[in-house]
Amino acid sequence: MAGIKVTDEERIVPTLCKPAIDLPEFVVTHDETVDMTERVHADHPQLALALRLIRNVGVAKRHIVLPVAEALRHPGLAVRNATYEREAKSRIPQVVAEALGNAGVRPGDIDALIVVSCTGFVMPSLTAWMVNTLGFPRHVAQIPIAQLGCAAGGSSINRAHDYCVSHPGRNVLVVACEFCSLCYQPDDLDVGNLLSNALFGDAIAAAVMLGNGGTGISIEAHCSYILPGTEKWIAYEVRETGFHFMLDKRVPDTMRAVTPVCQEFVAEHGWNMSDLDYYIIHTGGPKVLSTLRDQADIREERLEYSRTTLRERGNIASASIFDVARRIFDSADTKPGDTFLIGGFGPGITAELAVGTWR
C-alpha cells in the first residue's frame, strides 16, 4: 500500500490483553438529550435539523463525570481543566489495577506508559503522576498522545506494539482518559456542535500490551493513513472558553474513502476483509459503521459489539475501541486463530488500523 508501512509479521508478535473500563456514575439518556436540546436551544433557527440528527445518532445513553445541571454550565476553562485533572486522578488507579490484573502483571512489570486524551490538558503528563503514585518503575518510558482525538485509541495500540517489537520482552500499559462532557460549549450554536453534544460520552479505559505470552489479540501488522484534504473536518478551535469541537457535515461520508484503505491493508496481510471473525471499530456514529458494513460486505452481526458500545456509551473518543474489545473478551466466543481488524478514526482524517489473531 503506497505511503503506508506495515510491520513484518515474522517479527515479535505482542499481545493486547483484556481492557478495563471505568464509566462515570452520572447518566444522560437519549430522551433527556432531546428534551435538553429543545429547551436550551428553543429559538435556534436550525433546531429541527439538529433534532433530526440527534434522534438518528443511535445513542440510548451516555455517562458523564458531572451531574447534568453542572455539565450544562460553563464555569470557565480553568475550572473545567481542574475538574478533568481531579476526575482523572480519582478514577485512573482502579481501571489501571483491573487492566494489570487482566494481564497477570504488576506495576513493576510495565516498561512504558501511554496515556491518550483530547479532552483536558495536564503537564507534566498524567504518566509522571502515575509513576509517582501507582508504583510504576522510575525508568518507565512516558508516551503521552494528546492531539489524535478518537483515532488515538488505535494509535496507542500501534505505538504499544512498536515499543514491544523494538524492546523484546517488555510490556506497555495504555490508558485512554476522555471526559468529552467537559468540552460542552453552551453558547456554541453550530449544528455540528449540537450533534456532538448528543453523541459523545465520558470514560476511562486501560489495557496492557505484553511483549511475550498472554491471552488476547496478537497484533501482527498495523498502518496509519491520512485522508488528503480533510485536516479541518474534525478539529478543535481554541477560544477563551476552551475547546470548541468543529465537525464538518462531510465527516460521516469519509468512510467511503477510508474503507478501501482498510480493505487494501487487510489484503496485504493475506486476508479478505469481509471474512474476518471480529471487527473492533471506533464508534464514530451509525453511518460510519453502516458504510463500512456495506462497502466491505461485512455481516451486520459482526459489528454488533461496536453498535452496542455506541448505543450504551455513545462515542467515548479514544476509549471506544477498548470498550468494544472488552465486549469481545467477555463474550467467551473467541478461539485460537480467530482474525481481527482494529480501526480507530479521528482528526486528520486519520485512520489507525491493526490486524491480529486470537491466542
Side-chain angles (χ1 to χ4, degrees):
M1 183 183 299
I4 294 180
K5 294 182 179 180
V6 179
T7 59
D8 183 353
E9 62 181 298
E10 297 301 320
R11 298 173 66 191
I12 297 167
V13 184
T15 298
L16 179 68
C17 299
K18 181 180 178 179
I21 304 291
D22 176 83
L23 298 168
E25 58 272 27
F26 302 105
V27 175
V28 182
T29 67
H30 172 76
D31 289 343
E32 289 172 331
T33 298
V34 171
D35 290 343
M36 284 187 292
T37 303
E38 290 179 319
R39 174 168 45 86
V40 175
H41 302 289
D43 57 350
H44 194 290
Q46 294 181 288
L47 179 61
L49 171 62
L51 289 174
R52 188 177 80 246
L53 294 173
I54 289 170
R55 289 190 174 104
N56 292 330
V57 81
V59 178
K61 64 178 181 177
R62 295 167 291 143
H63 294 254
I64 58 177
V65 293
L66 296 175
V68 175
E70 290 186 45
L72 289 175
R73 293 195 295 267
H74 197 319
L77 177 58
V79 173
R80 279 193 167 175
N81 205 64
T83 301
Y84 169 89
E85 182 173 359
R86 181 188 71 241
E87 293 294 329
K89 290 181 176 179
S90 69
R91 297 174 185 275
I92 284 176
Q94 180 177 347
V95 74
V96 163
E98 183 179 341
L100 293 174
N102 290 343
V105 297
R106 299 169 299 175
D109 299 318
I110 298 299
D111 302 287
L113 294 173
I114 300 178
V115 173
V116 299
S117 181
C118 64
T119 53
F121 183 80
V122 178
M123 192 174 75
S125 168
L126 288 168
T127 52
W129 168 79
M130 291 169 64
V131 169
N132 287 317
T133 307
L134 303 182
F136 292 102
R138 296 289 169 185
H139 62 263
V140 73
Q142 300 178 70
I143 310 173
I145 301 175
Q147 292 162 303
L148 281 178
C150 298
S155 176
S156 65
I157 290 174
N158 293 346
R159 301 295 78 77
H161 175 275
D162 289 343
Y163 187 91
C164 289
V165 169
S166 300
H167 303 82
R170 297 189 181 182
N171 308 313
V172 181
L173 173 71
V174 175
V175 176
C177 179
E178 302 289 13
F179 302 141
C180 303
S181 64
L182 297 180
C183 295
Y184 173 67
Q185 299 291 345
D187 298 324
D188 192 332
L189 302 181
D190 179 79
V191 171
N193 186 65
L194 297 184
L195 175 61
S196 72
N197 295 336
L199 176 63
F200 287 95
D202 299 348
I204 296 178
V208 172
M209 180 83 74
L210 291 178
N212 286 320
T215 297
I217 305 167
S218 293
I219 305 300
E220 299 176 5
H222 66 74
C223 75
S224 304
Y225 181 82
I226 295 179
L227 193 62
T230 60
E231 67 270 17
K232 295 183 179 180
W233 288 18
I234 301 175
Y236 274 163
E237 185 173 282
V238 183
R239 306 176 192 170
E240 289 80 1
T241 49
F243 305 138
H244 287 248
F245 186 68
M246 313 298 288
L247 182 67
D248 191 284
K249 64 182 180 181
R250 293 169 289 185
V251 167
D253 287 324
T254 55
M255 286 307 296
R256 297 186 185 279
V258 172
T259 299
V261 175
C262 299
Q263 291 174 301
E264 185 178 348
F265 165 62
V266 172
E268 286 187 350
H269 195 61
W271 297 346
N272 186 317
M273 186 167 162
S274 63
D275 295 333
L276 302 180
D277 296 301
Y278 292 97
Y279 302 84
I280 301 176
I281 304 300
H282 169 63
T283 56
K287 193 168 184 179
V288 169
L289 297 174
S290 295
T291 300
L292 183 71
R293 176 199 64 199
D294 295 342
Q295 284 199 259
D297 193 24
I298 298 170
R299 297 198 304 275
E300 172 59 33
E301 62 268 23
R302 296 294 190 186
L303 295 174
E304 182 54 31
Y305 296 106
S306 289
R307 296 273 192 199
T308 303
T309 288
L310 178 62
R311 184 169 59 249
E312 297 182 357
R313 314 280 195 249
N315 182 342
I316 48 176
S318 64
S320 294
I321 59 174
F322 295 104
D323 190 75
V324 177
R326 181 183 171 88
R327 294 177 187 278
I328 294 173
F329 275 83
D330 286 340
S331 72
D333 293 332
T334 52
K335 60 184 183 300
D338 280 349
T339 53
F340 287 77
L341 171 67
I342 300 173
F345 312 107
I349 299 288
T350 300
E352 289 281 347
L353 309 172
V355 289
T357 55
W358 186 264
R359 60 175 296 171

